[in-house]
Amino acid sequence: MTKTDDIIESLVGDLKPVPRHALRRRFALGLLPALGLSLLLMLAILGLRVDMPDVLMLPVFWIKSAYNALIAVTALFAVVRLSRPDGSEGRFFGLLATIFAAMTAVAAIQLMMAPVGSFRVLILGSSALHCPLLIVSFALPVYAGVVWALRRAAPSNLSLTGFVAGIAAGAAGAWVYSWFCTENGMPFVLIWYSLGILLTGALGALTGPRLLRW
């Protein structure tokens, strides 16, 4: 029994208390530079819209921005919860469904108020084929930042944590892309932005078990 106590003592003797907000600070250190890099990539590859002063006056622009920002923040809080061994996603999926339902209602209202001839533009726009891929591209730096933060944590469900981290990164990448995107159709945002976010979530679910192993 004494020998066992000695072994335990040797294992914990050098342990030091972790600062209370250490994990949140690590997430901030991982996310803020990554988000800045994503913004720089967007500016270098696509550039900011030349009509941005006028765009900022459009409600549809802010709805598009808010949709992505709300998903990103909701998913990030869930990632922080999942980063602990006993953590869970909490109400993440319920909140995500609520945000998606609200955006679905906005898209439906826009369609009901628009002429039938404009449906194709509102749904497909002119960039449906490359929009989701650009979102994934701008999400990758953010996903790398989240993974870097999680490497010092101890999530137990690696696939789920990777998926939620991917959703957070995908929504952040979509938010970045929204500052360039010229599409004003809420159905477009609902379908193609959501697809880009979901693709990044799938990437997180696939890579999480390997990247987050501890």
Side-chain angles (χ1 to χ4, degrees):
M1 188 68 179
T2 304
K3 190 174 293 184
T4 302
D5 292 340
D6 291 341
I7 293 173
I8 294 174
E9 183 64 30
S10 67
L11 290 173
V12 303
D14 295 330
L15 292 180
K16 297 179 180 178
V18 177
R20 185 175 181 181
H21 300 295
L23 185 59
R24 293 183 181 180
R25 283 199 292 269
R26 185 170 176 85
F27 271 105
L29 287 173
L31 281 172
L32 295 179
L35 188 59
L37 176 58
S38 185
L39 284 165
L40 287 175
L41 285 174
M42 186 272 292
L43 291 172
I45 297 172
L46 302 175
L48 202 62
R49 294 178 61 167
V50 295
D51 59 345
M52 185 55 69
D54 296 327
V55 171
L56 294 177
M57 303 300 293
L58 299 175
V60 289
F61 172 81
W62 292 108
I63 293 172
K64 177 169 58 176
S65 180
Y67 175 63
N68 300 305
L70 284 172
I71 294 176
V73 171
T74 301
L76 183 59
F77 275 108
V79 169
V80 174
R81 288 173 58 94
L82 285 164
S83 65
R84 298 178 175 86
D86 60 344
S88 70
E89 73 278 10
R91 296 183 294 167
F92 168 68
F93 288 106
L95 292 172
L96 187 64
T98 301
I99 296 169
F100 186 81
M103 191 63 185
T104 301
V106 171
I109 291 170
Q110 189 182 43
L111 283 174
M112 286 189 293
M113 296 178 63
V116 175
S118 65
F119 281 12
R120 180 178 176 84
V121 173
L122 290 175
I123 295 171
L124 296 176
S126 60
S127 58
L129 293 178
H130 59 262
C131 169
L133 298 179
L134 285 171
I135 286 174
V136 173
S137 299
F138 294 132
L140 290 178
V142 182
Y143 181 61
V146 176
V147 168
W148 177 82
L150 286 170
R151 293 286 293 175
R152 291 293 296 272
S156 57
N157 191 332
L158 303 186
S159 294
L160 178 60
T161 305
F163 175 74
V164 179
I167 293 294
W175 179 82
V176 168
Y177 177 65
S178 71
W179 289 85
F180 163 82
C181 178
T182 58
E183 307 290 356
N184 290 324
M186 296 298 96
F188 179 95
V189 174
L190 178 70
I191 297 169
W192 304 107
Y193 273 58
S194 299
L195 179 59
I197 295 169
L198 187 59
L199 286 173
T200 315
L203 177 66
L206 288 173
T207 59
R210 175 171 295 183
L211 297 177
L212 304 178
R213 187 178 301 157
W214 51 283

